[in-house]
Amino acid sequence: MHYNDTEIVVKRSSKKRSRDGFRSGLTPSCKRTSSTGGQCQLGATKIKEYIEATPEGKTLEYCSDNEDLFGDYDSILGDSSFMAKLDDAEQYMGQLNNNSTRQSLKDHKPKHAPSKTGTHVTMEGLTDSILAGCLEDESFPDLPSSQIEFHQKVCENETAKCQSLDGGHTSTPLVKMTREVSAPDGINSEEAPRPAPKARRSMANAIKKAMLGNAATPSSSAAKIAQQQKEMLVTEEINIAVQTMQSVSTETDLGPFFGLPSKVKDLIGRLKGIQDLYEWQKTCLTLESVEQRRNLIYSLPTSGGKTLVAEILIFKEILCRKKDVLFILPYVSLVQEKVRGLASFGLELDFLVEEYAGSKGKFPPIKRRHKNSLYITTIEKGHSLVNSLIETARLDSVGLVVVDELHMLGDGSRGAVLEMTLAKVLHVSQSTQIIGMSATLGNVGDLQRFLKAENYSNDFRPVQLKEYVKLKDTIYEVDSKEEHCLKFSRLLNFKYSNSLKKMDPDHIVALVTEVIPSQSCLVFCPTKKNCENLAGMICKYLARDFLQHKGAEKATLLKELRECGNGVMCPVLKNTVPFGLAYHHSGLTSDERRLVEEAYSAGVLCLLTCTSTLAAGINLPARRVVLRSPYIGADFLKRSQYKQMVGRAGRAGIDSMGESILVLQEKDKAMAEKLLSAPMEKCYSNLLHDGGKGLLSLILSLIGLNVAQTLGQLREFLSGTLLGVQQAQISPERSLSDMAAQSVETLREKGLITFSADDVDSSVLLITKLGRASYKGSVDLTYSSVLYRDLSKGLEGLLLNSFLHLVYLVTPYDMVSQCKPDWMIYFRQFTLLSVSEQKICATIGVPESFVARKAAGQTVKKSQAVDPEVAGRLYLALVLHALLKETDLWSVSERFQLTRGFTQTLLSSSSAFCSCALHFAEELEEFWPFKALLSELTRRLTYCVQAELIPLMEVAGVMEARAKQLYNAGYKTLAHLANADPSDLVQSIENLFKRQASQIVASAKMLLQEKAEALQEEVDDLLTKPTDLPSVGS
């Protein structure tokens, strides 16, 4: 080949092509060959060129690097004189080798040395060549166009990158093969001798052999076909390589702790007290599915350490991939606990922890420029959050979704909401990974198909669990090898008096006194009332020595319980706490529940009588767990419920063993045997639960979010849900198409959607304003039209001289059936209202005359009858109105003869529904006055305390009683709390432990940081130059 009268000899390396070149850009940085000098290393296989000028008349040589992009395809073979030139080149190289060996250091600078400065000498004896210059003006006629284009792009990228890294000089970037030669001391690197090139095998013979094989090519047409096939093959390989590079995670390896820095491991040890992981946790974290970011379901027994694995994966997603994470938990209490626990990690590792529970949370979330967020949500709030991210095309910013208690997919309406959330994530974002933690299920395969996930299961427990059954005065060990699953263990050895036998025929006192007070015990009861009665009964028969155990701490606990009730205290707790006992169920206020849980965790309380909700909520393990009865209410236990309760037995790091005892009556023995030997329950879709409400809500939101706008698209989406996987089992008589068509027609009848044409099958489905307000407000479709009617009627005569009218509008519809009005109390409270407030009641539709007649027991004429739903809802509104005026939950509960637990539930439900009504009103222009009004009312209902305490109660886990303590101690603002010393808090606040104080301070700092970040984002938005700014002449 000739170029400007200069002959070019091309010498091909005989070395085997290295595969490392392709891997180099994708392997961790610690495993890559370090770049030296001008060496430039890219992620894919590269063409490496050397450009060098040579005096006229000299033969130039070009030796390719060890990487050959197109394998054995080489258009240079088309040159008929190529073999002769190759022989000349080899002879020339031999002479050059001999000459370079004999030359001295002083006069070694060959005439054909490059004239450029900054050229690097390599171990391969390669010098810069003019081949690249030749390629700039001359094309490869025999190469396919796709290869020429790819080659040019690689050259351009190579040149640009090398110039940027080496100040504009180019050098041969030989991966793992090339390095600079150090010149001896005192010798200029430009004058340093070139070491003798390595002996090379003759290329001539190899190429001759290949050409002989090529001589058998049938014809020119066949060669042309072969060339086209070659072009197609290479093009396909290039496309696959590009796709592979794009799909490979951009995850950065930050350290030795599963890709995370050692700081994370140190934080886990310091904040959680965990110094090492269990073997199953290490195995799970190094699964191929985890490392390649495939969806995963992992199942272990309760207390096996599932959550820690999820948290490590969360840290990895935020720190290594710089993505946001959505963490879905089943209960508000768990969300608050997790926010408190992870706030310290967020502060140390520089990410935000945002709470989405109750009325808290912003939709869509604030878009952060400089930090990533961990959204910790309830099931309902998680669904609303995903909807808002889809609507704003930001779902791809969430790299990971973690679901705790994944088996709750089978839990009624909440399971339906969880299924909707996950189905939307799967359909809309291909890059978002889903990790599900679940109890052991009988049909986990269905969940795998739904989530396109792999499964990892293990039966590991950190503490051995032994299960027992008590029948009469005999204890049997549960043994699956036995015929009836029961094996005799021992007889109860406890002397009972006659009176005690009558009071405690099931020997509960004997069972609990074997472990308390030195160790802890949980007793699960079928009803809330049974919890209180049992706690009182046990105390009557405990020795007086129990009063001395941690007496000072119990006295402090009693004082705090009295303070949180504004001087009033539950009589049951007043009697049981001195003995170290308490009850735990939904009838407690939030403050009481927090105090009881903290006291039990600290060992101040040694026994809790509780309902099954504790097993599914906050983690409170015990040495022994007693199941008072195999029932929850009137329903016999399910296998999963039983396993969840007995799983609380055994405290990791404290006990060597945990034990559970199920108390049975003779009549329940047969059912109990089935319970103990039964397989785990199966999890089924709940989209058809309660008349298909879930399916209707799903389809409405899909249309509103433009995810699916035709019947065909809806069918396609539904095929990817758990319902689609299980359709043959759940509803074999109806196909997904029938379900979709029927749901669409129902939504049209409700005025929530419309059709663009008469033919439904070919029509585009459009959402109405009411439909959009319903799905964005997360309003139950049963009540959406009722809410619209009530808000419209409210606008006609809205009275704002009192909160009563607004409170009535946001009183939850579904709470009415849970409370039957006491008409005497109703009338008494009605007469205490002001004239304007009584007028509000009449406007709503409940006049004083009606309430008076009901209170007197008189018959109400049909013409004067009032809708019982409206009357019941107004009764609950009066309760809420009294709470807003007095902020004393105890006194209001007593006045209306309601349990304080129900009043607490009413308050929290109202604040959540008020938030829903606010989002509902924001979508309907006619309801513009409600936007400001409901925003303030939501805030008041959420906290329902004196205004000065609200900033402190914004901190996760700080309830009214604790806020009062902090305020009285001088911590009056969020900034005070965020800058407090945990040690000072412990000294200032009674019954506050160091760990709790640290979590409060960390949560306050995180909340303060969130608010500051939000303000900074707003400032940045205001100061950012618009991208669509018009310019003159454009």
Side-chain angles (χ1 to χ4, degrees):
M1 185 182 297
H2 297 272
Y3 181 76
N4 294 338
D5 298 323
T6 301
E7 187 176 4
I8 300 173
V9 176
V10 179
K11 182 172 183 180
R12 309 248 344 141
S13 172
S14 61
K15 293 188 178 182
K16 185 176 180 180
R17 189 160 40 133
S18 171
R19 295 291 181 188
D20 292 337
F22 179 76
R23 294 170 55 86
S24 60
L26 305 179
T27 50
S29 57
C30 58
K31 295 183 181 180
R32 299 180 192 171
T33 305
S34 59
S35 299
T36 57
Q39 185 174 339
C40 179
Q41 178 175 323
L42 298 176
T45 307
K46 302 174 181 59
I47 299 174
K48 302 176 178 64
E49 299 172 340
Y50 275 73
I51 304 174
E52 75 180 1
T54 316
E56 185 176 349
K58 292 290 185 180
T59 302
L60 295 180
E61 66 170 357
Y62 168 73
C63 183
S64 72
D65 74 350
N66 60 312
E67 295 289 328
D68 186 358
L69 182 65
F70 302 111
D72 58 353
Y73 185 96
D74 199 335
S75 63
I76 297 177
L77 294 178
D79 191 345
S80 61
S81 60
F82 179 73
M83 301 303 295
K85 294 178 181 179
L86 186 62
D87 288 335
D88 293 342
E90 289 187 339
Q91 292 175 10
Y92 176 76
M93 285 299 298
Q95 296 173 4
L96 182 63
N97 292 348
N98 295 333
N99 292 338
S100 62
T101 304
R102 290 193 295 267
Q103 283 178 337
S104 63
L105 293 175
K106 183 176 181 180
D107 58 5
H108 175 88
K109 190 167 184 180
K111 294 181 180 180
H112 64 276
S115 59
K116 295 164 104 179
T117 60
T119 303
H120 296 279
V121 183
T122 69
M123 288 298 293
E124 293 296 323
L126 299 177
T127 60
D128 288 349
S129 122
I130 64 168
L131 184 59
C134 173
L135 296 179
E136 289 177 2
D137 300 322
E138 193 167 310
S139 62
F140 293 98
D142 295 332
L143 275 177
S145 60
S146 61
Q147 295 183 18
I148 296 173
E149 182 182 359
F150 183 82
H151 168 78
Q152 290 172 346
K153 289 182 179 178
V154 170
C155 291
E156 292 170 2
N157 294 339
E158 180 79 5
T159 302
K161 188 165 183 179
C162 290
Q163 287 178 347
S164 65
L165 293 176
D166 197 36
H169 300 300
T170 58
S171 62
T172 305
L174 291 179
V175 181
K176 297 185 179 182
M177 299 292 291
T178 306
R179 60 183 176 83
E180 292 186 13
V181 178
S182 301
D185 293 343
I187 299 178
N188 189 296
S189 62
E190 292 187 1
E191 299 176 355
R194 181 189 302 275
K198 297 178 181 178
R200 298 175 182 267
R201 292 179 294 176
S202 173
M203 288 290 293
N205 292 334
I207 294 177
K208 285 176 183 178
K209 186 176 180 180
M211 292 179 69
L212 286 173
N214 293 340
T217 303
S219 65
S220 59
S221 61
K224 188 173 182 180
I225 294 174
Q227 181 175 335
Q228 292 174 348
Q229 292 175 343
K230 189 75 173 182
E231 179 180 356
M232 292 173 60
L233 180 62
V234 173
T235 303
E236 182 180 359
E237 289 177 352
I238 292 173
N239 291 336
I240 292 174
V242 171
Q243 291 173 6
T244 301
M245 293 178 66
Q246 291 174 346
S247 63
V248 169
S249 168
T250 56
E251 185 175 300
T252 305
D253 192 332
L254 298 180
F257 186 63
F258 304 101
L260 289 165
S262 299
K263 182 179 181 180
V264 176
K265 183 178 181 181
D266 297 338
L267 285 173
I268 291 174
R270 176 160 59 87
L271 299 176
K272 291 180 172 288
I274 299 172
Q275 303 304 323
D276 195 16
L277 272 61
Y278 299 126
E279 285 303 317
W280 84 262
Q281 292 171 325
K282 297 176 183 177
T283 301
C284 188
L285 286 167
T286 53
L287 289 173
E288 184 180 0
S289 56
V290 172
E291 293 180 343
Q292 295 188 7
R293 298 190 71 255
R294 296 198 292 269
N295 296 345
L296 176 70
I297 300 170
Y298 63 99
S299 311
L300 277 98
T302 303
S303 304
K306 297 191 291 289
T307 306
L308 181 59
V309 170
E311 290 174 357
I312 291 173
L313 293 174
I314 287 170
F315 298 152
K316 197 170 182 180
E317 191 70 23
I318 293 174
L319 300 180
C320 299
R321 300 192 72 248
K322 304 297 182 184
K323 291 281 190 175
D324 298 331
V325 175
L326 174 59
F327 194 177
I328 301 176
L329 296 160
Y331 304 110
V332 174
S333 59
L334 291 179
V335 170
Q336 293 174 341
E337 181 192 22
K338 194 57 64 179
V339 169
R340 291 197 303 270
L342 293 179
S344 297
F345 286 93
L347 293 172
E348 294 282 352
L349 301 175
D350 199 30
F351 64 85
L352 298 175
V353 179
E354 302 187 39
E355 178 183 351
Y356 280 76
S359 60
K360 293 184 178 179
K362 184 175 179 60
F363 303 102
I366 297 173
K367 191 173 184 179
R368 315 284 184 181
R369 287 185 177 86
H370 309 297
K371 288 189 178 182
N372 292 106
S373 293
L374 168 58
Y375 308 115
I376 304 181
T377 78
T378 56
I379 291 173
E380 294 77 12
K381 288 291 182 179
H383 183 229
S384 298
L385 183 63
V386 167
N387 281 345
S388 68
L389 290 171
I390 292 174
E391 188 174 29
T392 54
R394 288 171 50 195
L395 187 58
D396 285 338
S397 67
V398 176
L400 174 65
V401 175
V402 177
V403 182
D404 193 12
E405 310 291 353
L406 182 65
H407 53 269
M408 289 196 73
L409 280 166
D411 183 25
S413 59
R414 304 192 78 213
V417 174
L418 182 56
E419 182 178 346
M420 292 183 227
T421 305
L422 296 177
K424 289 173 183 175
V425 172
L426 286 167
H427 186 84
V428 175
S429 177
Q430 305 302 317
S431 62
T432 302
Q433 183 186 18
I434 297 176
I435 300 288
M437 296 177 277
S438 173
T440 305
L441 293 172
N443 63 338
V444 70
D446 287 352
L447 270 63
Q448 284 183 255
R449 287 194 292 276
F450 165 43
L451 296 178
K452 302 176 180 62
E454 297 184 16
N455 181 48
Y456 174 82
S457 59
N458 198 305
D459 58 0
F460 171 82
R461 275 187 57 89
V463 178
Q464 181 186 3
L465 171 63
K466 288 191 175 181
E467 300 176 38
Y468 298 95
V469 167
K470 191 199 82 70
L471 191 60
K472 296 182 179 179
D473 59 352
T474 307
I475 304 292
Y476 298 91
E477 183 178 354
V478 177
D479 187 349
S480 58
K481 298 177 182 177
E482 296 292 324
E483 182 179 358
H484 298 289
C485 296
L486 300 177
K487 181 175 68 175
F488 174 80
S489 178
R490 64 186 174 94
L491 292 172
L492 274 177
N493 185 21
F494 190 84
K495 294 181 180 179
Y496 266 61
S497 64
N498 291 331
S499 62
L500 182 54
K501 285 180 181 179
K502 292 179 181 179
M503 293 294 295
D504 183 25
D506 293 327
H507 307 93
I508 302 298
V509 174
L511 294 175
V512 301
T513 52
E514 287 179 343
V515 292
I516 64 171
S518 58
Q519 294 175 308
S520 58
C521 182
L522 294 175
V523 182
F524 286 99
C525 302
T527 65
K528 290 185 285 186
K529 192 63 178 176
N530 191 235
C531 290
E532 299 178 27
N533 292 339
L534 184 61
M537 185 274 290
I538 293 174
C539 289
K540 291 180 181 178
Y541 296 98
L542 291 179
R544 307 300 294 178
D545 296 343
F546 280 81
L547 296 171
Q548 309 303 321
H549 184 72
K550 298 195 174 183
E553 291 90 338
K554 292 175 192 171
T556 302
L557 175 59
L558 285 169
K559 180 182 177 182
E560 291 195 325
L561 286 169
R562 188 174 291 106
E563 287 177 351
C564 78
N566 293 317
V568 182
M569 184 177 177
C570 171
V572 177
L573 292 177
K574 183 178 181 180
N575 293 329
T576 62
V577 168
F579 287 92
L581 278 66
Y583 64 88
H584 185 288
H585 58 61
S586 59
L588 294 173
T589 66
S590 300
D591 281 320
E592 287 176 316
R593 191 180 302 119
R594 177 187 58 80
L595 289 170
V596 167
E597 289 169 355
E598 290 177 355
Y600 178 82
S601 298
V604 177
L605 297 175
C606 58
L607 185 146
L608 295 181
T609 57
C610 51
T611 54
S612 59
T613 53
L614 184 140
I618 191 169
N619 185 24
L620 294 175
R623 172 67 171 79
R624 175 177 289 182
V625 168
V626 178
L627 278 67
R628 174 73 178 77
S629 165
Y631 291 89
I632 295 180
D635 300 323
F636 200 83
L637 276 178
K638 296 179 182 177
R639 174 77 173 172
S640 57
Q641 294 170 330
Y642 169 77
K643 280 294 186 182
Q644 198 165 44
M645 287 189 274
V646 302
R648 294 300 182 194
R651 298 164 297 175
I654 301 175
D655 299 325
S656 58
M657 181 187 71
E659 55 188 13
S660 67
I661 301 175
L662 172 61
V663 178
L664 287 179
Q665 306 299 324
E666 190 66 41
K667 65 182 179 66
D668 297 322
K669 183 179 178 182
M671 292 184 67
E673 289 175 357
K674 290 181 181 179
L675 169 71
L676 297 172
S677 60
M680 295 303 294
E681 283 91 3
K682 295 183 178 181
C683 177
Y684 292 105
S685 170
N686 274 270
L687 286 180
L688 300 181
H689 174 74
D690 196 11
K693 282 184 180 179
L695 184 59
L696 288 173
S697 297
L698 173 60
I699 290 177
L700 179 65
S701 63
L702 292 177
I703 297 170
L705 293 168
N706 296 326
V707 173
Q709 292 186 294
T710 65
L711 267 178
Q713 291 173 345
L714 287 174
R715 294 187 198 105
E716 180 186 354
F717 185 96
L718 291 179
S719 65
T721 62
L722 183 58
L723 174 63
V725 172
Q726 298 176 331
Q727 181 265 328
Q729 306 170 58
I730 296 174
S731 181
E733 70 282 357
R734 284 200 302 163
S735 67
L736 292 177
S737 297
D738 293 339
M739 294 180 196
Q742 185 177 347
S743 298
V744 164
E745 182 59 29
T746 302
L747 291 172
R748 187 190 65 79
E749 291 173 358
K750 288 177 175 287
L752 302 175
I753 64 171
T754 59
F755 302 158
S756 63
D758 294 335
D759 184 8
V760 179
D761 290 328
S762 61
S763 174
V764 174
L765 306 176
L766 305 172
I767 195 166
T768 63
K769 290 184 178 180
L770 177 60
R772 184 174 299 280
S774 298
Y775 95 79
K776 294 196 75 171
S778 300
V779 176
D780 189 326
L781 299 186
T782 307
Y783 304 118
S784 60
S785 58
V786 180
L787 178 61
Y788 182 85
R789 183 195 65 202
D790 287 345
L791 291 178
S792 299
K793 188 177 179 181
L795 280 180
E796 295 173 5
L798 186 63
L799 300 174
L800 296 178
N801 52 357
S802 169
F803 270 114
L804 182 57
H805 201 171
L806 276 177
V807 166
Y808 170 79
L809 293 175
V810 299
T811 300
Y813 296 100
D814 56 355
M815 293 288 291
V816 175
S817 60
Q818 301 178 35
C819 178
K820 188 176 180 180
D822 183 317
W823 292 104
M824 284 301 298
I825 296 175
Y826 204 154
F827 180 68
R828 192 180 305 122
Q829 296 303 315
F830 202 103
T831 56
L832 294 175
L833 296 176
S834 65
V835 175
S836 60
E837 288 171 341
Q838 289 184 6
K839 184 179 179 181
I840 291 173
C841 295
T843 302
I844 291 170
V846 185
E848 182 182 6
S849 59
F850 169 79
V851 179
R853 285 180 176 276
K854 295 291 288 186
Q858 298 176 5
T859 304
V860 179
K861 295 180 181 180
K862 193 172 183 180
S863 59
Q864 297 177 339
V866 172
D867 185 346
E869 287 288 320
V870 174
R873 195 165 175 231
L874 179 60
Y875 184 72
L876 294 181
L878 291 174
V879 177
L880 293 169
H881 182 246
L883 280 171
L884 288 177
K885 289 175 66 176
E886 301 178 27
T887 70
D888 187 346
L889 189 144
W890 280 79
S891 63
V892 171
S893 299
E894 185 177 357
R895 187 189 313 164
F896 284 86
Q897 294 296 295
L898 300 171
T899 64
R900 61 193 185 282
F902 177 82
T903 307
Q904 177 87 67
T905 302
L906 173 64
L907 183 61
S908 58
S909 298
S910 299
S911 67
F913 185 66
C914 188
S915 176
C916 293
L918 172 60
H919 293 302
F920 181 90
E922 286 175 341
E923 297 301 317
L924 297 166
E925 188 177 349
E926 61 266 35
F927 293 150
W928 65 266
F930 286 117
K931 295 179 183 179
L933 295 172
L934 294 182
S935 179
E936 175 60 23
L937 184 59
T938 300
R939 183 170 176 267
R940 286 177 175 261
L941 288 171
T942 299
Y943 303 107
C944 197
V945 294
Q946 297 171 358
E948 62 267 21
L949 298 180
I950 290 179
L952 299 177
M953 290 187 65
E954 289 180 340
V955 178
V958 175
M959 305 300 176
E960 182 180 3
R962 184 71 82 200
K964 288 179 179 178
Q965 287 180 316
L966 293 167
Y967 189 87
N968 293 334
Y971 300 97
K972 300 184 177 183
T973 66
L974 184 61
H976 285 155
L977 206 51
N979 291 282
D981 186 332
S983 300
D984 293 341
L985 284 181
V986 171
Q987 294 179 2
S988 304
I989 309 297
E990 286 185 318
N991 201 30
L992 181 65
F993 302 100
K994 182 66 178 290
R995 182 170 177 271
Q996 297 161 357
S998 299
Q999 287 185 342
I1000 288 174
V1001 171
S1003 297
K1005 285 182 178 178
M1006 178 57 67
L1007 185 57
L1008 197 64
Q1009 198 174 89
E1010 281 180 34
K1011 293 188 174 186
E1013 290 280 341
L1015 292 173
Q1016 185 61 52
E1017 296 290 342
E1018 190 175 346
V1019 170
D1020 291 345
D1021 284 339
L1022 289 172
L1023 298 180
T1024 300
K1025 183 179 178 180
T1027 56
D1028 57 349
L1029 186 69
S1031 58
V1032 178
S1034 60

